Amino acid sequence: MAAGASLSTFRLPPLPTIREIIKLFRLHAVKQLSQNFLLDLRLTDKIVRKAGTLTNAYVYEVGPGPGGITRSILNAGVAELLVVEKDSRFLPGLQMLSDAAPGKLRIVHGDVLTFKIERAFPESLKRHWEDDPPNVHIIGNLPFSVSTPLIIKWLENVSRRDGPFAYGRTQMTLTFQKEVAERLTATTGSKQRSRLSIMAQYLCSVQHVLTIPGRAFVPKPEVDVGVVRFTPLTQPRIEQPFQLVEKVVQNVFQFRRKYCHRGLGMLFPEAQRLESTGKLLQLADVDPTLRPSQLSVSHFKSLCDVYRKMCDEDPHLFAYNFREELKQNKSKNQEKEDEESYRLQ
Ligand code: SAM
């Protein structure tokens, strides 16, 4: 791919509008796939500007659909845009865009949940983790049912520095249901503070950069949409394996209205619950009567560090699952009841 000043001045030639493309290729939105399209190119330009400067960038767009955001990315002077779209009906429209931007747009008919972007762009783009982010960006307006599991998967990739983060601290600009965007960016003590807030914020700087009213989409979704920008941190705020952090965070937030000791207790087998929870909270120096939403990322860091030590001391602890113990207790009780009623017969 040629580099240079000409790349940054590229503009797409006049093309049919997105509305005309939708008509031409009969691209009605499929409700089951939660397809909601952006037709207003001023709005797609605005979303793309929120990703930062894309001059000579290598961009991975997830779920391009009829290509509104795709056009804005191409007009931002990128070196290359790779799009992954699952629904084959969009391919001819995207091909039209590719013909209008020779050598710039690569179209993959595939699934973003399995596509391996780490092999798609030149090796030379790779940066050390501590360096400035590479000139690689992920941008996308995906169905909400895909964007949430995908961000969890990508956060795990951030923690391992693999997948899209094999290039370094690749930045992501993605849309979510507004409520999810608020949870991702919620600060300590706020109503929206949740599992997602901690998982995102211990690994990335997370900003809710734009809210788009539902009426801007065709068809209109039930809710407004938030655009969130993620930049992986040079140093994660919790230095423990992703699964361990996830386990602690999940346990705490499963009783979000109770004191935090309630959820933390579920990390330990019933027989040692009281004692071990006390030890965890004491060593981590966390007040047991804080509510989950009041815990900061540094509270979680202390809890994860102490829990890690406890897991190192007791090799069975990490695998412990309180639901399994509940199930086993239930079936034991059932057996006892059956035995008793048999004896009484
Ligand atoms: N980006 C377009 C826009 O803003 O108008 C389309 C947005 S629409 C909400 C989501 C797009 O993602 C659809 O084109 C849909 O077919 C595509 N999509 C959904 N799940 C996908 C997946 N797992 N992999 C790739 N594309 C997917």
Side-chain angles (χ1 to χ4, degrees):
M1 175 65 49
S6 61
L7 282 168
S8 55
T9 53
F10 174 85
R11 294 297 294 179
L12 281 166
L15 288 165
T17 62
I18 299 289
R19 200 178 285 280
E20 285 162 349
I21 292 277
I22 289 174
K23 247 197 198 155
L24 188 64
F25 295 107
R26 299 179 189 194
L27 304 175
H28 59 275
V30 179
K31 209 171 174 202
Q32 292 90 318
L33 296 180
S34 313
Q35 290 175 337
N36 310 98
F37 306 136
L38 285 166
L39 310 189
D40 179 353
L41 293 183
R42 281 167 309 183
L43 187 55
T44 56
D45 282 350
K46 198 168 173 184
I47 295 172
V48 169
R49 277 199 299 276
K50 295 292 178 193
T53 310
L54 296 183
T55 315
N56 296 341
Y58 285 71
V59 180
Y60 173 31
E61 189 197 354
V62 289
I69 296 179
T70 318
R71 291 184 188 206
S72 297
I73 298 172
L74 288 169
N75 279 332
V78 299
E80 186 177 317
L81 169 58
L82 187 150
V83 297
V84 175
E85 173 56 59
K86 194 174 179 179
D87 185 340
S88 60
R89 295 176 309 141
F90 294 111
L91 302 181
L94 292 168
Q95 189 54 50
M96 185 187 268
L97 274 183
S98 176
D99 295 341
K104 278 180 182 290
L105 178 59
R106 252 202 289 169
I107 305 162
V108 174
H109 179 210
D111 189 326
V112 298
L113 292 164
T114 50
F115 183 72
K116 296 212 176 322
I117 188 68
E118 57 271 40
R119 301 203 199 117
F121 293 144
E123 282 276 308
S124 58
L125 290 170
K126 291 191 174 172
R127 294 281 169 273
H128 289 297
W129 194 261
E130 292 71 22
D131 288 351
D132 285 342
N135 208 0
V136 177
H137 293 255
I138 301 177
I139 300 179
N141 170 30
L142 279 169
F144 305 137
S145 57
V146 180
S147 53
T148 306
L150 191 61
I151 193 61
I152 291 288
K153 175 176 143 76
W154 279 341
L155 288 170
E156 184 166 4
N157 289 136
V158 172
S159 77
R160 291 198 309 252
R161 304 181 183 183
D162 64 8
F165 310 95
Y167 297 102
R169 295 185 297 120
T170 299
Q171 298 176 77
M172 305 181 271
T173 307
L174 302 166
T175 58
F176 296 89
Q177 202 170 327
K178 185 173 164 233
E179 194 187 301
V180 175
E182 284 169 355
R183 274 193 243 146
L184 283 161
T185 53
T187 52
T188 313
S190 66
K191 209 172 79 203
Q192 292 88 348
R193 188 79 160 172
S194 65
R195 179 175 77 103
L196 270 182
S197 329
I198 310 298
M199 296 311 289
Q201 294 170 28
Y202 96 83
L203 289 162
C204 295
S205 130
V206 195
Q207 287 170 285
H208 184 166
V209 286
L210 185 67
T211 299
I212 311 173
R215 64 173 185 280
F217 295 82
V218 177
K220 177 181 170 301
E222 304 276 294
V223 290
D224 290 343
V225 170
V227 181
V228 181
R229 184 171 167 180
F230 302 81
T231 307
L233 298 168
T234 45
Q235 192 75 21
R237 296 167 71 195
I238 304 176
E239 289 183 282
Q240 295 295 349
F242 187 84
Q243 271 79 15
L244 185 140
V245 181
E246 201 175 31
K247 188 168 185 189
V248 172
V249 173
Q250 239 167 14
N251 273 272
V252 168
F253 279 101
Q254 70 183 317
F255 300 111
R256 52 175 306 120
R257 286 176 211 288
K258 309 263 185 218
Y259 292 142
C260 68
H261 71 81
R262 180 80 164 83
L264 283 168
M266 295 307 175
L267 289 168
F268 305 103
E270 208 178 334
Q272 67 179 76
R273 187 161 294 152
L274 208 62
E275 188 191 340
S276 298
T277 313
K279 182 174 163 190
L280 170 63
L281 284 157
Q282 193 192 6
L283 293 177
D285 194 20
V286 171
D287 176 350
T289 64
L290 287 175
R291 311 271 174 192
S293 65
Q294 294 173 308
L295 296 177
S296 64
V297 174
S298 55
H299 282 133
F300 275 103
K301 176 191 162 24
S302 312
L303 290 167
C304 290
D305 288 347
V306 176
Y307 177 61
R308 170 65 189 269
K309 273 195 198 129
M310 295 170 90
C311 289
D312 289 345
E313 286 162 13
D314 172 358
H316 302 294
L317 184 57
F318 187 68
Y320 169 73
N321 178 334
F322 80 93
R323 288 182 210 281
E324 287 297 315
E325 189 178 26
L326 265 180
K327 237 194 262 166
Q328 282 170 9
N329 286 351
K330 257 192 202 159
S331 67
K332 268 187 212 153
N333 288 343
Q334 188 63 49
E335 266 172 40
K336 251 193 224 160
E337 273 174 32
D338 290 349
E339 245 174 60
E340 264 167 36
S341 69
Y342 179 74
R343 251 191 265 127
L344 291 173
Q345 276 169 18

